mmCIF file of all heavy atoms in Angstrom:
data_model
loop_
_atom_site.group_PDB
_atom_site.id
_atom_site.type_symbol
_atom_site.label_atom_id
_atom_site.label_comp_id
_atom_site.label_asym_id
_atom_site.label_seq_id
_atom_site.Cartn_x
_atom_site.Cartn_y
_atom_site.Cartn_z
ATOM 1 N N PHE A 25 -6.351 35.554 -31.712
ATOM 2 C CA PHE A 25 -5.302 35.400 -32.687
ATOM 3 C C PHE A 25 -5.739 36.162 -33.904
ATOM 4 O O PHE A 25 -6.525 35.691 -34.691
ATOM 5 C CB PHE A 25 -5.062 33.941 -33.090
ATOM 6 C CG PHE A 25 -4.558 33.063 -31.995
ATOM 7 C CD1 PHE A 25 -5.411 32.174 -31.347
ATOM 8 C CD2 PHE A 25 -3.224 33.094 -31.525
ATOM 9 C CE1 PHE A 25 -4.942 31.284 -30.349
ATOM 10 C CE2 PHE A 25 -2.759 32.274 -30.521
ATOM 11 C CZ PHE A 25 -3.628 31.425 -29.897
ATOM 12 N N VAL A 28 -9.375 35.859 -35.030
ATOM 13 C CA VAL A 28 -9.958 34.662 -34.438
ATOM 14 C C VAL A 28 -10.031 34.815 -32.906
ATOM 15 O O VAL A 28 -8.967 35.037 -32.281
ATOM 16 C CB VAL A 28 -9.124 33.421 -34.778
ATOM 17 C CG1 VAL A 28 -9.683 32.144 -34.093
ATOM 18 C CG2 VAL A 28 -9.056 33.194 -36.255
ATOM 19 N N ALA A 30 -10.124 32.840 -29.972
ATOM 20 C CA ALA A 30 -9.982 31.426 -29.638
ATOM 21 C C ALA A 30 -10.697 31.102 -28.302
ATOM 22 O O ALA A 30 -11.246 30.041 -28.100
ATOM 23 C CB ALA A 30 -8.454 31.075 -29.510
ATOM 24 N N PRO A 49 -15.166 20.057 -29.126
ATOM 25 C CA PRO A 49 -14.649 19.607 -30.381
ATOM 26 C C PRO A 49 -13.315 20.365 -30.726
ATOM 27 O O PRO A 49 -13.009 21.338 -30.104
ATOM 28 C CB PRO A 49 -15.739 19.969 -31.378
ATOM 29 C CG PRO A 49 -16.483 21.028 -30.707
ATOM 30 C CD PRO A 49 -16.392 20.893 -29.257
ATOM 31 N N SER A 50 -12.655 19.829 -31.713
ATOM 32 C CA SER A 50 -11.456 20.427 -32.182
ATOM 33 C C SER A 50 -11.658 21.910 -32.517
ATOM 34 O O SER A 50 -12.637 22.310 -33.150
ATOM 35 C CB SER A 50 -10.952 19.686 -33.490
ATOM 36 O OG SER A 50 -9.759 20.223 -33.896
ATOM 37 N N GLY A 51 -10.731 22.788 -32.060
ATOM 38 C CA GLY A 51 -10.841 24.192 -32.331
ATOM 39 C C GLY A 51 -11.730 24.960 -31.373
ATOM 40 O O GLY A 51 -11.930 26.189 -31.567
ATOM 41 N N CYS A 52 -12.204 24.384 -30.308
ATOM 42 C CA CYS A 52 -13.204 25.095 -29.392
ATOM 43 C C CYS A 52 -12.446 25.951 -28.416
ATOM 44 O O CYS A 52 -13.080 26.772 -27.715
ATOM 45 C CB CYS A 52 -14.038 24.030 -28.639
ATOM 46 S SG CYS A 52 -13.157 23.215 -27.365
ATOM 47 N N GLY A 53 -11.115 25.889 -28.319
ATOM 48 C CA GLY A 53 -10.376 26.780 -27.482
ATOM 49 C C GLY A 53 -9.881 26.140 -26.188
ATOM 50 O O GLY A 53 -9.381 26.861 -25.294
ATOM 51 N N LYS A 54 -10.016 24.833 -26.041
ATOM 52 C CA LYS A 54 -9.640 24.153 -24.794
ATOM 53 C C LYS A 54 -8.167 24.231 -24.573
ATOM 54 O O LYS A 54 -7.690 24.538 -23.467
ATOM 55 C CB LYS A 54 -10.237 22.819 -24.646
ATOM 56 C CG LYS A 54 -9.962 21.875 -25.833
ATOM 57 C CD LYS A 54 -10.862 20.711 -25.829
ATOM 58 C CE LYS A 54 -10.522 19.682 -26.878
ATOM 59 N NZ LYS A 54 -10.622 20.181 -28.300
ATOM 60 N N SER A 55 -7.340 23.909 -25.576
ATOM 61 C CA SER A 55 -5.906 23.913 -25.396
ATOM 62 C C SER A 55 -5.392 25.342 -25.114
ATOM 63 O O SER A 55 -4.547 25.556 -24.323
ATOM 64 C CB SER A 55 -5.196 23.354 -26.626
ATOM 65 O OG SER A 55 -5.490 21.996 -26.736
ATOM 66 N N THR A 56 -5.936 26.317 -25.880
ATOM 67 C CA THR A 56 -5.533 27.673 -25.674
ATOM 68 C C THR A 56 -5.803 28.127 -24.202
ATOM 69 O O THR A 56 -4.976 28.784 -23.587
ATOM 70 C CB THR A 56 -6.291 28.614 -26.671
ATOM 71 O OG1 THR A 56 -5.950 28.120 -27.991
ATOM 72 C CG2 THR A 56 -5.825 30.018 -26.520
ATOM 73 N N GLU A 173 -4.624 16.409 -23.251
ATOM 74 C CA GLU A 173 -4.877 15.161 -24.000
ATOM 75 C C GLU A 173 -3.832 14.078 -23.770
ATOM 76 O O GLU A 173 -3.202 13.574 -24.699
ATOM 77 C CB GLU A 173 -4.981 15.416 -25.531
ATOM 78 C CG GLU A 173 -5.969 16.499 -25.852
ATOM 79 C CD GLU A 173 -7.029 16.075 -26.849
ATOM 80 O OE1 GLU A 173 -7.227 14.876 -27.010
ATOM 81 O OE2 GLU A 173 -7.663 16.917 -27.394
HETATM 82 P P1 LIG B 2 -7.805 20.723 -30.733
HETATM 83 O O1 LIG B 2 -8.576 19.741 -29.957
HETATM 84 O O2 LIG B 2 -7.828 20.543 -32.178
HETATM 85 O O3 LIG B 2 -6.388 20.937 -30.168
HETATM 86 P P2 LIG B 2 -8.698 23.068 -29.237
HETATM 87 O O4 LIG B 2 -10.135 23.027 -28.758
HETATM 88 O O5 LIG B 2 -7.651 22.803 -28.232
HETATM 89 O O6 LIG B 2 -8.568 22.171 -30.494
HETATM 90 P P3 LIG B 2 -7.324 25.513 -29.747
HETATM 91 O O7 LIG B 2 -6.024 24.850 -30.134
HETATM 92 O O8 LIG B 2 -7.377 26.172 -28.390
HETATM 93 O O9 LIG B 2 -8.499 24.517 -29.862
HETATM 94 O O10 LIG B 2 -7.657 26.610 -30.862
HETATM 95 C C1 LIG B 2 -8.794 27.463 -30.748
HETATM 96 C C2 LIG B 2 -8.862 28.328 -31.992
HETATM 97 O O11 LIG B 2 -7.719 29.215 -32.041
HETATM 98 C C3 LIG B 2 -8.876 27.554 -33.284
HETATM 99 O O12 LIG B 2 -9.770 28.207 -34.192
HETATM 100 C C4 LIG B 2 -7.483 27.619 -33.765
HETATM 101 O O13 LIG B 2 -7.384 27.539 -35.164
HETATM 102 C C5 LIG B 2 -7.072 29.004 -33.264
HETATM 103 N N1 LIG B 2 -5.592 29.053 -32.993
HETATM 104 C C6 LIG B 2 -4.903 28.321 -32.058
HETATM 105 N N2 LIG B 2 -3.625 28.679 -31.997
HETATM 106 C C7 LIG B 2 -3.460 29.635 -32.942
HETATM 107 C C8 LIG B 2 -2.341 30.392 -33.418
HETATM 108 N N3 LIG B 2 -1.134 30.179 -32.869
HETATM 109 N N4 LIG B 2 -2.542 31.267 -34.383
HETATM 110 C C9 LIG B 2 -3.743 31.429 -34.919
HETATM 111 N N5 LIG B 2 -4.897 30.786 -34.579
HETATM 112 C C10 LIG B 2 -4.722 29.837 -33.580
#
Side-chain angles (χ1 to χ4, degrees):
F25 295 105
V28 178
S50 184
C52 74
K54 50 195 188 299
S55 294
T56 303
E173 308 235 20

